[in-house]
Amino acid sequence: MEKKRLNGKIKYWEGIANKTRHEKLTAISTQEIQIQELRKKIKVNEDEIKKYSKIVNEQAEQIDYLTDLNDRTIDLTTESKNGQYTFNSQTDQCVMDLLDCGLSFEKVGPAIKNVLCMCGLRSKDDRYPKKDYVSNCNMRRLAISQVQTAEICTAAANQTLYTDETRKFGETFSSFITTDENKTPFLLGLKQMSNKAAQTQLDTLKSILNDIETRIKCLVDQNLQTSTSFNILKNIKYTMSDRAATEIVFNQLLKDYREKLLKEHVEKYDDLPDVEKRYSIAYVQLFLWSTSNS
């Protein structure tokens, strides 16, 4: 009877053990499934974290760029005496350089803006030169070029004067260019003429020289004593033309006018010996092409 009771207890506890073992295996299996699901969720969350971290980093870089862009500005203007703002000398130099490259007035401002954008810069006050300002800057460029031409042509000896006349839209224009001994050209000016006569051509040259002299007095020396026109003409020793009849007459008129200036500016010119006079008015006429008999 004792053995029977003991066997009963053993079976009872074996049943409980089997039940517990089954529950344990079931719990472990359920936990493993839950762990796999959690791992999947963790993987998804990690991917989401990476995605949003990338977005956050991009936004941070954009913020840094915009912050840096606010600091990376260039000041194209300067405050004038009356409290207004105008473009500074560096901007004027840039505008003149662009005009030298053949850029039209209305395209100068957009060109400066686009180049600054390519360099990651922008104007401090978002102001760029407009057409009217560029036109005004072009006038100052002409004034500066006239002053430069006057300074060089009054200092360089043995210059050659080149003249050329052309017609456009029914109007006549003439240009006057000088070169020094190194063949470096300098434009005295280009002006419209009423006709192609030699005297008109000389009068046009006088007008250009007078404009240069006026510019020198306004920008350099208001109390200019010596004639800039004379200082330029006295250094012209040669002429170059196309052998047209008008050019031949013009050369003679220019020679006479130059001699007149020498008499006005050279002290006691009439008392000089003939040799020194000829030296003072040395004026050799050259032509672009030699005559067939030369």
Side-chain angles (χ1 to χ4, degrees):
M1 292 296 292
E2 288 294 327
K3 184 178 180 180
K4 187 177 180 180
R5 284 195 299 270
L6 181 61
N7 288 335
K9 291 181 180 179
I10 291 172
K11 290 181 179 178
Y12 172 77
W13 288 111
E14 284 181 348
I16 292 176
N18 290 333
K19 183 179 179 180
T20 304
R21 189 180 298 110
H22 179 268
E23 291 177 352
K24 178 183 177 181
L25 293 174
T26 303
I28 291 174
S29 177
T30 303
Q31 288 178 353
E32 288 180 351
I33 294 173
Q34 292 177 348
I35 289 171
Q36 293 296 331
E37 291 178 352
L38 290 174
R39 285 177 177 174
K40 291 180 180 179
K41 291 182 179 180
I42 291 173
K43 184 66 171 62
V44 172
N45 291 334
E46 287 178 348
D47 294 339
E48 290 291 329
I49 289 173
K50 290 180 180 180
K51 177 182 176 181
Y52 288 111
S53 296
K54 184 178 180 180
I55 295 175
V56 170
N57 291 334
E58 290 177 352
Q59 294 293 332
E61 290 178 357
Q62 185 69 15
I63 292 173
D64 292 339
Y65 171 77
L66 294 175
T67 304
D68 186 54
L69 186 62
N70 289 330
D71 297 332
R72 296 188 63 191
T73 58
I74 184 171
D75 198 354
L76 300 180
T77 60
T78 183
E79 187 175 1
S80 58
K81 295 180 179 179
N82 56 7
Q84 297 180 350
Y85 284 86
T86 183
F87 292 103
N88 54 37
S89 58
Q90 290 82 2
T91 306
D92 289 349
Q93 180 66 50
C94 178
V95 170
M96 293 180 185
D97 290 340
L98 291 175
L99 292 176
D100 287 340
C101 295
L103 209 62
S104 60
F105 290 176
E106 62 271 11
K107 293 182 180 179
V108 169
I112 294 176
K113 182 177 180 179
N114 290 335
V115 171
L116 289 179
C117 289
M118 291 179 62
C119 298
L121 297 171
R122 65 181 180 85
S123 176
K124 186 175 181 180
D125 50 4
D126 287 327
R127 291 185 59 192
Y128 299 93
K130 297 185 181 297
K131 181 179 178 180
D132 293 340
Y133 182 83
V134 175
S135 177
N136 180 272
C137 193
N138 183 59
M139 296 298 295
R140 285 183 278 126
R141 180 178 66 138
L142 173 62
I144 293 173
S145 67
Q146 287 178 325
V147 172
Q148 180 191 24
T149 299
E151 291 178 349
I152 294 175
C153 292
T154 55
N158 299 324
Q159 296 182 61
T160 301
L161 176 66
Y162 295 77
T163 58
D164 187 28
E165 172 267 327
T166 186
R167 293 181 64 82
K168 187 173 184 180
F169 303 121
E171 303 292 342
T172 302
F173 297 86
S174 184
S175 61
F176 301 88
I177 301 172
T178 64
T179 59
D180 56 16
E181 294 178 341
N182 297 322
K183 306 302 180 183
T184 304
F186 295 96
L187 177 66
L188 293 178
L190 182 147
K191 271 197 173 186
Q192 181 180 351
M193 299 193 304
S194 58
N195 55 63
K196 298 173 62 175
Q199 184 60 50
T200 304
Q201 194 172 6
L202 179 62
D203 292 339
T204 303
L205 176 60
K206 291 180 182 179
S207 176
I208 290 174
L209 294 176
N210 182 66
D211 290 343
I212 294 176
E213 185 163 338
T214 302
R215 194 75 69 182
I216 291 293
K217 289 182 179 179
C218 291
L219 300 180
V220 180
D221 186 2
Q222 296 181 353
N223 300 319
L224 186 66
Q225 299 298 326
T226 60
S227 172
T228 304
S229 301
F230 168 71
N231 290 331
I232 293 176
L233 287 176
K234 75 176 183 179
N235 290 328
I236 296 177
K237 302 297 176 64
Y238 309 95
T239 60
M240 183 73 74
S241 68
D242 55 5
R243 291 181 61 248
T246 302
E247 292 292 341
I248 296 174
V249 177
F250 167 75
N251 288 337
Q252 183 60 47
L253 292 174
L254 181 59
K255 177 182 177 182
D256 296 339
Y257 176 64
R258 188 170 178 273
E259 183 176 359
K260 177 183 176 182
L261 289 178
L262 287 170
K263 290 181 180 180
E264 292 176 355
H265 293 85
V266 177
E267 187 177 357
K268 297 181 180 181
Y269 176 82
D270 293 329
D271 297 336
L272 294 175
D274 293 338
V275 176
E276 294 188 17
K277 285 183 180 180
R278 286 196 297 271
Y279 178 76
S280 298
I281 62 173
Y283 194 91
V284 182
Q285 297 183 0
L286 298 180
F287 301 101
L288 185 60
W289 299 106
S290 302
T291 60
S292 58
N293 297 328
S294 299

